[in-house]
Amino acid sequence: MIRSLFSNFGNPLVSLAAPGEGDITVYPANHYAQVWGTSFSAPLVAGGAALLADISKHVDGSAANQALSQATYIGQELGAGELDLFRACLEALKQKWFH
């Protein structure tokens, strides 16, 4: 992933990057569309947190943040890196949130 021109970066509050270019989403009339923008990348992270919370009742906001921070490091001043739901689930298993 390459940082988008419209990305917020270099801010210590930015801890995770999510794809914001060429995302596929549902579109009216039973279609799919390719979209760009942070309004499409933010729901990917929120959906990842919801997935973790759905899998285990023991996942709170702090635990979800810890798991989602197990991202794929890509540099470019994008915090922990790119969202990696597989790594997040592995972290959750390691922390025994699912038991």
Side-chain angles (χ1 to χ4, degrees):
M1 178 170 86
I2 297 172
R3 185 178 68 215
S4 299
L5 293 175
F6 52 81
S7 294
N8 185 352
F9 63 94
N11 182 327
L13 297 176
V14 176
S15 61
L16 183 65
E21 294 188 14
D23 295 334
I24 304 298
T25 188
V26 294
Y27 195 75
N30 250 358
H31 291 90
Y32 293 92
Q34 197 171 25
V35 295
W36 279 252
T38 55
S39 43
F40 296 101
S41 57
L44 291 173
V45 177
L51 171 66
L52 294 172
D54 186 53
I55 291 171
S56 173
K57 64 181 179 178
H58 302 292
V59 175
D60 60 10
S62 176
N65 184 49
Q66 179 183 348
L68 292 172
S69 293
Q70 304 304 308
T72 302
Y73 182 74
I74 54 175
Q76 304 173 37
E77 298 180 82
L78 293 174
E82 182 179 9
L83 175 66
D84 188 329
L85 288 176
F86 180 73
R87 279 183 158 176
C89 289
L90 288 178
E91 175 68 14
L93 287 171
K94 185 174 92 179
Q95 297 299 327
K96 300 181 180 170
W97 296 326
F98 297 108
H99 301 284

